Amino acid sequence: MNIGILGGGQLARMMAQAGRSLGLNFMFLCPDIYACAAPFGEHLCVPYGDEDAQKRLANWADITTYEFENVPLSVVDSVQKKVSLYPSSSVLSVARDRLKEKTLFRNLGIPTANFSPVDSLEDLRNAMKNIGFSAILKTRTDGYDGKGQALLHGKNDLPSAWMKVGKAPCIVESMVAFNRELSIIAVRDQRGKMVFYPLSENHHRDGILRLSISRQDDPMQARAEAKIRYIMEDLNYVGTMALELFQVKDQLFANEFAPRVHNSGHWTIEAAQTSQFENHLRAICGFPLGKTTSVQSAAMVNLIGLLPSERQILNITDATPHFYCKAERPGRKVGHVTLTSKDYTSEDFQQRLSTLLQLAGQPELAELNFLNAATQTSHN
Ligand code: AMP
């Protein structure tokens, strides 16, 4: 089968790596000449809006998908008219707009931070009367990895925050004093069957994910599954989805969902029976879904800006590096490492994780005690 992907970054690359053993072929439409998925298929290196390239992709592919939310919606719409595309463009139109997304959560009865739409500085001033400080201003579309966001601690911050987000349509939301950040990854097939991965516990700095730990038998698992199930069923979703959550005591607040494979699920390559990448492909191709059971405990550490040497990483027992072959640049995800163990509570695992975090330039995360999830506090 031939799979067309809009986008050619590391998510497309890992999808294609997973698809090789299923005998799938790949074509990527991506304007970046250095698209890191390119070695794994044919690369159409033109702007997304190039209609000839869209036609070529649609004629060649049996099924299409996208690897990130910022592919222009008009392009996704146009490809979907020519060939099967999952998740559908109507899903993408919700996922790429924070206002539509939070409104969906609210309509489904899923708790969120208090939020309000903002289209002007005056709107922002008015909204803050209800939202209260501290709060966070986020562009409705095109934000990722902490970009398009500004923190609001007091009235004096409002004009500069409005400038910082480029006066673009936004939402403002209250800061949630969470105990933990979690994400649930689930996959839904074309007949509505769903499978769920064990929760990931996530640690961010400056809005960028640094570390995810797989949590088998987490007490919040069933509640998280119920929430993502509502969303996937409501959207008649097909493929892999990630739902990012804030845990406050024993309540879960939805932050956002990603209509795709997700950074917090990269550990599934080494530590789950079927990876999130393979299951996404199985779902969109109409194949039976694979089991999501963890075969071992895992932690995933992102390599941001700089790559340690292979030798340094491979000196750590059971560490598997994934280098994306992208140029090193501050704040850019250039790779990740998955560390596995029979038991994440063992001294030995904690020690190896601490060494890996130091190598990845995250010494302050190495200080955290990951054994006692209940004591984790917000550290943004
Ligand atoms: P987002 O782009 O919405 O995924 O935000 C990136 C990260 O910023 C989240 O994973 C949190 O660590 C933090 N963050 C975003 N929104 C909030 C919020 N309302 N309250 C607390 N932290 C937040």
Side-chain angles (χ1 to χ4, degrees):
M1 252 181 163
N2 292 343
I3 312 294
I5 303 186
L6 296 167
Q10 66 266 20
L11 299 180
R13 176 183 167 103
M14 287 185 269
M15 245 189 269
Q17 286 172 322
R20 275 194 162 174
S21 55
L22 294 175
L24 304 175
N25 307 305
F26 291 85
M27 186 183 277
F28 312 98
L29 171 49
C30 176
D32 180 358
I33 50 167
Y34 301 112
C36 69
F40 296 89
E42 189 172 344
H43 177 201
L44 307 180
C45 184
V46 289
Y48 287 116
D50 186 303
E51 290 184 10
D52 289 339
Q54 288 170 20
K55 267 189 215 139
R56 195 158 155 224
L57 184 87
N59 287 339
W60 177 85
D62 299 298
I63 309 277
T64 52
T65 188
Y66 45 88
E67 63 138 15
F68 76 136
E69 291 89 312
N70 296 336
V71 175
L73 193 56
S74 56
V75 172
V76 175
D77 263 334
S78 142
V79 172
Q80 186 177 261
K81 286 194 183 111
K82 302 178 183 72
V83 58
S84 300
L85 180 141
Y86 301 108
S88 67
S89 75
S90 60
V91 167
L92 183 64
S93 77
V94 178
R96 69 196 307 279
D97 181 336
R98 291 185 192 274
L99 180 60
K100 288 189 189 168
E101 182 181 45
K102 286 245 159 46
T103 305
L104 171 74
F105 296 154
R106 183 184 272 171
N107 292 342
L108 293 174
I110 299 173
T112 65
N114 289 332
F115 66 93
S116 192
V118 168
D119 290 318
S120 66
L121 183 54
E122 200 190 344
D123 281 355
L124 179 58
R125 289 203 170 100
N126 286 333
M128 289 315 295
K129 290 176 196 153
N130 293 326
I131 302 285
F133 294 100
S134 296
I136 181 163
L137 183 67
K138 301 178 177 178
T139 54
R140 280 175 60 171
T141 59
D142 297 325
Y144 65 98
D145 286 347
K147 296 189 177 73
Q149 301 192 0
L151 291 176
L152 308 169
H153 296 297
K155 280 184 184 168
N156 292 342
D157 294 339
L158 303 187
S160 56
W162 182 237
M163 291 299 283
K164 186 175 172 202
V165 297
K167 302 183 182 178
C170 280
I171 64 167
V172 62
E173 58 185 59
S174 53
M175 285 302 277
V176 177
F178 53 77
N179 301 98
R180 285 195 297 166
E181 282 197 82
L182 298 167
S183 57
I184 177 94
I185 296 179
V187 192
R188 187 168 182 271
D189 74 11
Q190 294 172 20
R191 279 165 301 165
K193 183 184 172 211
M194 294 182 64
V195 290
F196 305 89
Y197 286 95
L199 281 167
S200 301
E201 180 185 302
N202 302 324
H203 298 265
H204 293 78
R205 287 279 185 280
D206 305 321
I208 305 181
L209 181 68
R210 311 281 161 158
L211 164 69
S212 289
I213 302 181
S214 71
R215 288 282 182 193
Q216 291 149 64
D217 307 321
D218 193 282
M220 303 311 285
Q221 180 78 28
R223 280 178 221 193
E225 287 184 12
K227 289 181 172 46
I228 199 167
R229 177 185 287 282
Y230 281 152
I231 299 166
M232 289 178 118
E233 285 178 351
D234 187 77
L235 295 171
N236 195 18
Y237 192 93
V238 175
T240 295
M241 176 192 280
L243 175 64
E244 295 183 24
L245 299 156
F246 298 135
Q247 181 184 348
V248 182
K249 296 187 184 139
D250 62 355
Q251 243 208 319
L252 291 178
F253 289 70
N255 179 34
E256 62 180 8
F257 76 90
R260 54 171 167 80
V261 289
H262 192 256
N263 195 171
S264 66
H266 289 358
W267 62 263
T268 61
I269 299 174
E270 283 80 17
Q273 237 164 302
T274 317
S275 77
Q276 61 163 352
F277 300 97
E278 180 173 333
N279 257 340
H280 181 71
L281 294 168
R282 288 182 182 220
I284 67 174
C285 291
F287 298 155
L289 299 180
K291 285 190 182 163
T292 49
T293 328
S294 309
V295 288
Q296 49 194 341
S297 297
M300 186 277 329
V301 174
N302 268 338
L303 302 174
I304 296 172
L306 284 172
L307 285 171
S309 72
E310 295 92 329
R311 182 175 297 280
Q312 285 173 305
I313 295 171
L314 294 172
N315 267 334
I316 304 173
T317 308
D318 293 333
T320 308
H322 294 255
F323 289 175
Y324 305 152
C325 301
K326 284 163 67 174
E328 293 167 310
R329 201 187 297 150
R332 190 177 204 206
K333 290 175 185 165
V334 287
H336 77 264
V337 182
T338 305
L339 197 61
T340 53
S341 168
K342 288 261 167 302
D343 173 13
Y344 75 85
T345 61
S346 70
E347 271 281 304
D348 161 68
F349 182 61
Q350 300 290 315
Q351 234 158 42
R352 286 186 288 129
L353 179 55
S354 172
T355 309
L356 176 57
L357 286 163
Q358 306 268 5
L359 256 186
Q362 312 289 340
E364 72 292 0
L365 280 174
E367 313 270 292
L368 288 180
N369 171 14
F370 298 107
L371 298 182
N372 187 359
T375 62
Q376 299 288 309
T377 50
S378 163
H379 48 260
N380 257 277

